[in-house]
Amino acid sequence: MAQLYHADVNQASKVTKTALTLFEQVSNSWQLADYRWLLEGACQLHEIGISINSKSHHKHGSYILENSDLPGFNQQQQQMLALLVGNHRKKLNYPAITIADEIQRQAFTRLLTILRLAVLFNLGRTSSSNQQIKVKAQQADLTIKFSQRKELDKEAIQRSELLIQDLYAEQKKLATIGINLSFK
């Protein structure tokens, strides 16, 4: 599907790598072990709508996933994948999320948080390779701690400052779905 819709395979791989790094750190405390495959799928397909419209590719990607035949996915799994892709950036459309089961809704919220952060850490098609990212999760709290791997040049400092601004904005968005994001 990613190939059919011309998704950037390199970017999808960067986002997947970041998301799985975050996932491994929180999967036990957030009880997400059974959902790794869903997160990986959303990471690989998060940009499939980009060939339709780059500014709203999350919405188009969601539509494509909702209306495609996806062998191996039942209807609920397909819906969750489409919702993850449709909410991976910009404003959250949380009222549209119709996951009846509270356990799955909580897992979805947590997976969405990981996906959104992985995308954020790879904005501009560059990863935060100069920083090591550690996350800790407890209930609805997620704490991110950054540590520098090497000396930063002027460009890296500017990217870090932009990332911090983006994290403050994301903190407000995630609060609307019950996730308390903090970072150091």
Side-chain angles (χ1 to χ4, degrees):
M1 188 154 261
Q3 186 178 19
L4 177 66
Y5 288 100
H6 310 291
D8 183 341
V9 177
N10 290 331
Q11 179 67 2
S13 293
K14 288 177 189 177
V15 170
T16 302
K17 182 179 177 185
T18 303
L20 292 179
T21 298
L22 301 174
F23 179 86
E24 293 303 323
Q25 295 175 58
V26 300
S27 65
N28 287 337
S29 58
W30 269 0
Q31 301 169 341
L32 294 175
D34 294 340
Y35 295 94
R36 180 186 169 118
W37 63 272
L38 185 60
L39 179 63
E40 283 186 84
C43 290
Q44 292 298 313
L45 298 173
H46 79 279
E47 289 191 325
I48 62 170
I50 210 158
S51 62
I52 297 170
N53 180 316
S54 62
K55 290 184 180 177
S56 297
H57 72 268
H58 56 295
K59 294 177 185 177
H60 295 290
S62 180
Y63 179 83
I64 290 167
L65 290 169
E66 284 175 6
N67 295 287
S68 294
D69 183 25
L70 298 179
F73 289 84
N74 66 34
Q75 188 176 8
Q76 185 178 25
Q77 292 168 337
Q78 188 168 341
Q79 178 194 20
M80 286 179 72
L81 184 63
L83 287 169
L84 283 169
V85 168
N87 284 283
H88 83 269
R89 63 189 292 266
K90 295 191 177 184
K91 183 181 175 186
L92 288 160
N93 186 11
Y94 204 66
I97 299 168
T98 55
I99 300 168
D101 181 282
E102 185 57 35
I103 293 170
Q104 286 188 334
R105 188 177 184 89
Q106 184 179 63
F108 174 84
T109 300
R110 292 170 174 181
L111 290 172
L112 181 60
T113 299
I114 294 168
L115 176 60
R116 288 179 67 90
L117 290 172
V119 169
L120 187 69
F121 292 144
N122 290 282
L123 279 180
R125 311 256 177 232
T126 59
S127 62
S128 302
S129 59
N130 61 323
Q131 295 182 343
Q132 185 176 6
I133 303 165
K134 297 285 185 192
V135 292
K136 184 177 179 183
Q138 186 175 7
Q139 302 294 346
D141 299 327
L142 183 68
T143 304
I144 302 171
K145 184 178 179 184
F146 298 98
S147 60
Q148 301 297 334
R149 289 187 179 167
K150 60 183 177 182
E151 190 113 351
L152 296 177
D153 60 12
K154 186 177 180 178
E155 185 179 321
I157 291 170
Q158 288 175 332
R159 278 197 313 269
S160 292
E161 289 171 355
L162 289 173
L163 176 62
I164 296 300
Q165 289 174 2
D166 289 340
L167 282 169
Y168 277 119
E170 191 63 24
Q171 187 178 47
K172 292 176 185 173
K173 292 173 187 168
L174 292 175
T176 65
I177 61 171
I179 299 292
N180 304 312
L181 177 67
S182 61
F183 44 93
K184 303 174 187 180

